[in-house]
Amino acid sequence: MRRLPRALLLLRLALLVAEGAPEALVSAPRSLVWGPGLQAAVVLPVRYFYLQAVNSEGQNFTRAPPGQTPFKVVVKSLSPKELVRIHVPKPLDRNDGTFLMRYRMYETANEGLKIEVLYGDEHVAQSPYILKGPVYHEYCECPENPQAWQKTLSCPTKEPQITKDFASFPSINLQQMLNEVPKRFGDERGAVVHYTIVNNHIYRRSLGKYTDFKMFSDEILLSLTRKYKYQVNVDGTVAAYRYPYLMLGDSLVLKQDSPYYEHFYTALEPWKHYVPIKRNLGDLLEKVKWAKENDEEAKKIAKEGQLMARDLLQPHRLYCYYYQVLQKYAERQSSKPEVRDGMELVPQPEDSTAICQCHREKPSREEL
Ligand SMILES: *[C@@H]1O[C@H](CO)[C@@H](O)[C@H](O)[C@H]1NC(C)=O
């Protein structure tokens, strides 16, 4: 017994050594910066990139670095002659030593952008980053070759969920769908928006009462048609959205077993990225108890889930996903899409900022 305090003291010292590292100072040059917002060609409504704080010994911070010195981003037009309005919100602290940096452009920067990432007065990593122009505004109508576009966004070559979802629809008969879908989903469930995309214009018809979600689908389709040309016809319905936000947080997600899914679920494994619970919630208490008693393991699952979600749910990956769904759908259509009775044109935003000079070569063929 006499020796115990000494053992405890040693243990405490060991812990102090282990915990000592994050107290070291932030090293601006050793910190890491990466992400699509540093590439001119990745056109998104809000551009973003990440920052990992690293200390002077080259170790990653796993919590927000101590002290008052903030990371800061300054985005300017490359040419002093060109005035470009850009909004840069404060970095978003993700509480794990990383930060999300965002900026929104209000017009196209023809010459390009200079992005400075600063810690105090010091440049971080390879800052300043030079994005050679044109750096297009999201509303600029400037279609490009879809292959090039997918490459720029590092779209995954395969989306297993899409392949699976379309497996039972080798061909899609638009006329037949038009006879069946409005009745089944519009009248009975009140939520179908019927879209047709012809010659890069979007037309839609809302069927049923609960179709306000069209503002989201409009936005995605308008954005995609600005980015390349295609003809496709798609009917939209809607699913639940809460889960991804849960996954992005830093707590453990307990996920109810469900016949419904979102496109990224295939990549998530029970007990690796989340803790499964029965559909009838019969084992909820048991699983919560498990999490309490297995704190380390629960934390590990939470972390894995968060990392996976961050990877899968990056904004640009969603555009990839929608593109591939539309592509698959288009391949299967047995007739040409047409603008049908009762459809209205969905206009591109009229914002004067949409006016820009498109320097991309026209895609060589009409897509789809
Ligand atoms: C440090 O963080 C970066 C970015 O989050 C990661 O890619 C890298 O593997 C981390 N390094 C270590 C040693 O954990």
Side-chain angles (χ1 to χ4, degrees), residues 32-34 50-54 58-62 94 96-98 307 310:
L32 305 167
V33 172
W34 74 97
Y50 302 102
L51 186 153
Q52 165 79 57
V54 176
Q59 289 160 317
N60 287 352
F61 280 85
T62 54
R94 307 207 295 176
D96 61 355
T98 68
L307 287 177
R310 280 182 182 175

Side-chain angles (χ1 to χ4, degrees), residues 328-341:
K328 274 269 190 299
Y329 194 103
E331 286 163 12
R332 284 163 167 73
Q333 290 177 150
S334 54
S335 61
K336 256 189 163 325
E338 49 184 285
V339 181
R340 296 180 192 265
D341 278 352

Side-chain angles (χ1 to χ4, degrees), residues 292-331:
K292 276 188 170 164
E293 284 166 4
N294 298 271
D295 191 45
E296 275 308 302
E297 218 169 319
K299 272 195 192 136
K300 198 167 157 245
I301 295 175
K303 186 79 201 161
E304 291 273 333
Q306 184 200 45
L307 287 177
M308 196 58 165
R310 280 182 182 175
D311 191 36
L312 294 171
L313 296 173
Q314 297 179 64
H316 72 272
R317 289 285 292 266
L318 291 180
Y319 287 97
C320 295
Y321 173 79
Y322 283 110
Y323 173 75
Q324 290 187 20
V325 169
L326 294 174
Q327 176 93 1
K328 274 269 190 299
Y329 194 103
E331 286 163 12

Side-chain angles (χ1 to χ4, degrees), residues 26-33 49 51-52 54 69-76 101 114-130:
V26 168
S27 159
R30 296 190 82 158
S31 292
L32 305 167
V33 172
F49 57 92
L51 186 153
Q52 165 79 57
V54 176
T69 316
F71 286 102
K72 195 173 74 182
V73 175
V74 181
V75 187
K76 282 194 212 119
M101 323 299 238
K114 178 176 173 187
I115 302 181
E116 291 173 302
V117 187
L118 302 164
Y119 180 73
D121 302 328
E122 252 188 301
H123 281 283
V124 175
Q126 274 81 53
S127 171
Y129 295 87
I130 304 296

